[in-house]
């Protein structure tokens, strides 16, 4: 039932990658809190916070597919090095803007767009590199370790961001992000080169189309994309966290709100062994996404920070169950030579929903109020996810392939 740590002990390259990415994720999570918090502090507008997602969407759609094709064709380690160097520079620019006499919202929007574009190369390279540095039998354990890394950093990063911003200012949060990228870059430099596999497809439009055709031909993959897109578009509430925090304690409250969902994620991750026994993986994704929507409805009725934290933790737990089964389905069905390109498709699927969802949440909050935006988003999520059962019957019936059974 507990986590398998053996891949960290047995594989030096994976250990370096894991440690470096863990440190950089702490800084990145701090920045993910600092940017919307600063936008709200400068503008007092939840709509503008939500529009951050719209600004990030176009670079994501453009570069995730291109980045995936490059991740299949180039040394993925070098691609990560270049990506993180640019991300570190962007964080430094945001720190300088925050420390200036008159910080500008435009700089934050431009930085958010750059981060989104660069992540289109970084995330596919990272996802495609990981299976290269472990053995096939380690993939399930590696998936759980990746979830652990996300959960721990997504709890610690926002909590630390709230503390740092309240005591040292917003600029300090960005500078910590810069330092975290420096650690990750050193870990990547210590790894051996990882050239692409033989006969790798050349990056470009043809390679992108090949990856899209493969995704479209697999109903189990399409289902993971569509269900998550529906759930996040309707029910993602994070654009409203700064407004909620303003009523419940300011920067520290914001840190707790951003950390709440990862707490639920961590609880599921630590005891994720039971997921191996679940054969109906498509159904598990659907019902976990519906549970996410119900938890968001509970958050919409929160009268205080403690209630909000508990509801968001339940939402995070449900989202992690969905995420674990989506990851397993991807690993079971995608061949190595397409992993980078399909990682780009996956990135679009799981990031487009939250970006659109935050824009929706900000707009509805402006029109009808924060609570109504959250509650009706959760209700629409449950209805939309359950509607996927008759619309995507092959995905809902998807079960674990017999050759993966232990």
């Amino acid at each position: 039932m507990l986590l398998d740590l053996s891949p960290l002990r047995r594989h030096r390259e994976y250990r370096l990658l894991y440690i470096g990415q863990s440190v950089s994720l702490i800084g990145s999570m701090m920045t993910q809190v600092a940017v919307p918090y600063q936008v709200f502090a400068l503008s007092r507008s939840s709509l503008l916070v939500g529009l951050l997602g719209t600004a990030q969407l176009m670079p994501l759609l453009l570069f995730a597919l291109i980045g995936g094709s490059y991740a299949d064709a180039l040394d993925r380690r070098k691609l990560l090095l270049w990506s993180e160097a640019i991300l570190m520079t962007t964080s430094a620019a945001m720190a300088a803007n925050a420390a200036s006499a008159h910080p500008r919202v435009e700089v934050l929007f431009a930085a958010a767009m750059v981060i989104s574009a660069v992540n289109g190369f970084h995330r596919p390279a990272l996802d495609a590199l990981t299976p290269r540095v472990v053995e096939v039998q380690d993939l399930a354990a590696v998936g759980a370790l990746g979830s652990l890394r996300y959960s721990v950093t997504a709890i610690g990063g926002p909590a630390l961001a709230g503390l740092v911003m309240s005591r040292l200012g917003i600029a300090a949060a960005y500078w910590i992000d810069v330092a975290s990228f420096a650690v990750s870059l050193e870990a990547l430099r210590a790894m051996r080169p990882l050239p692409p596999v033989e006969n790798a497809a050349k990056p470009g439009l043809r390679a992108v189309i090949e990856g899209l055709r493969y995704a479209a031909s697999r109903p189990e993959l399409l289902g993971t994309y569509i269900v998550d897109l529906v759930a996040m578009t309707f029910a993602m509430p994070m654009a409203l966290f700064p407004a909620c925090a303003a009523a419940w304690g300011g920067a520290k409250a914001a840190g707790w709100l951003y950390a709440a969902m990862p707490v639920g994620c961590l609880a599921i991750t630590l005891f994720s062994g039971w997921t191996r026994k679940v054969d109906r993986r498509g159904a598990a994704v659907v019902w976990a996404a519906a549970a996410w929507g119900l938890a968001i409805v509970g958050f919409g009725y929160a009268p205080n920070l403690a209630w909000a934290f508990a509801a968001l933790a339940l939402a995070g737990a449900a989202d992690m169950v969905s995420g674990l089964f989506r990851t397993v389905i991807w690993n079971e069905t995608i061949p190595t030579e397409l992993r980078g390109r399909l990682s780009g498709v996956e990135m679009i699927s799981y990031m487009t929903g939250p970006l659109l969802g935050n824009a929706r949440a900000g707009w509805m909050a402006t029109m009808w109020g924060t609570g109504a935006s959250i509650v009706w988003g959760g209700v629409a999520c449950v209805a939309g996810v359950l509607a996927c059962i008759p619309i995507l019957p092959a995905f809902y019936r998807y079960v674990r392939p017999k050759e993966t059974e232990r």
Side-chain angles (χ1 to χ4, degrees), residues 173-220:
Y174 295 131
W175 283 122
I176 292 174
D177 192 17
V178 172
S180 74
F181 276 122
V183 173
S184 180
L185 285 169
E186 284 302 314
L188 287 168
R189 288 192 185 99
M191 294 176 62
R192 60 179 174 82
L194 291 166
V197 297
E198 287 188 43
N199 302 317
K202 293 182 179 180
L205 182 59
R206 179 177 296 181
V208 169
I209 292 174
E210 183 183 359
L212 290 173
R213 284 176 176 168
Y214 181 84
S217 71
R218 303 300 296 263
E220 66 274 18

Side-chain angles (χ1 to χ4, degrees), residues 7 23 26 72 159 200 244 336 403:
V23 174
I26 292 175
D72 281 335
C244 294
T336 300
E403 59 267 22

Side-chain angles (χ1 to χ4, degrees), residues 296-362:
I296 294 301
V297 172
F299 169 54
Y301 285 109
N304 52 50
L305 182 59
W307 178 310
F309 185 92
L312 289 172
L314 289 174
D319 187 44
M320 179 52 64
V321 172
S322 173
L324 285 172
F325 284 107
R326 282 184 282 119
T327 300
V328 170
I329 291 171
W330 295 337
N331 286 336
E332 287 174 347
T333 58
I334 299 173
T336 300
E337 64 272 15
L338 288 169
R339 197 65 185 87
R341 280 163 284 177
L342 269 294
S343 292
V345 177
E346 292 157 18
M347 183 178 178
I348 289 175
S349 76
Y350 63 67
M351 291 192 69
T352 297
L355 295 177
L356 290 175
N358 280 322
R360 176 214 59 83

Side-chain angles (χ1 to χ4, degrees), residues 372-385:
S373 174
I374 297 170
V375 170
W376 284 109
V379 171
C381 165
V382 175
V385 166

Side-chain angles (χ1 to χ4, degrees), residues 26-27 30 33 153 155-166 173 176 255-256 259:
I26 292 175
M30 293 181 68
V33 174
T153 56
I155 294 168
L160 183 59
L163 181 64
V164 169
M165 290 190 299
S166 65
I176 292 174
W256 282 107

Side-chain angles (χ1 to χ4, degrees), residues 218-402:
R218 303 300 296 263
E220 66 274 18
L221 295 180
L222 287 177
T224 64
Y225 306 149
I226 293 172
V227 170
D228 189 57
L229 182 65
V230 169
M232 295 298 119
T233 298
F234 284 125
M236 176 53 69
M238 292 178 70
L240 306 180
F241 286 179
C244 294
W248 291 331
K252 288 184 178 179
W256 282 107
L257 289 174
Y258 281 100
M261 286 191 283
V263 166
C265 292
L266 179 60
I268 293 296
T269 301
L270 289 176
F271 299 96
S272 57
W274 63 271
T275 59
R276 299 175 187 170
K277 301 178 181 179
V278 178
D279 292 332
R280 296 193 61 192
R281 289 168 175 170
V285 171
V286 170
W287 289 107
W292 150 270
L294 289 173
I296 294 301
V297 172
F299 169 54
Y301 285 109
N304 52 50
L305 182 59
W307 178 310
F309 185 92
L312 289 172
L314 289 174
D319 187 44
M320 179 52 64
V321 172
S322 173
L324 285 172
F325 284 107
R326 282 184 282 119
T327 300
V328 170
I329 291 171
W330 295 337
N331 286 336
E332 287 174 347
T333 58
I334 299 173
T336 300
E337 64 272 15
L338 288 169
R339 197 65 185 87
R341 280 163 284 177
L342 269 294
S343 292
V345 177
E346 292 157 18
M347 183 178 178
I348 289 175
S349 76
Y350 63 67
M351 291 192 69
T352 297
L355 295 177
L356 290 175
N358 280 322
R360 176 214 59 83
W363 175 74
M364 287 189 69
T366 301
M367 298 295 293
W368 296 292
T370 300
S373 174
I374 297 170
V375 170
W376 284 109
V379 171
C381 165
V382 175
V385 166
L386 294 182
C388 289
I389 296 175
I391 294 172
L392 301 166
F395 169 68
Y396 187 71
R397 294 194 300 265
Y398 175 80
V399 297
R400 168 174 51 186
K402 291 183 178 180

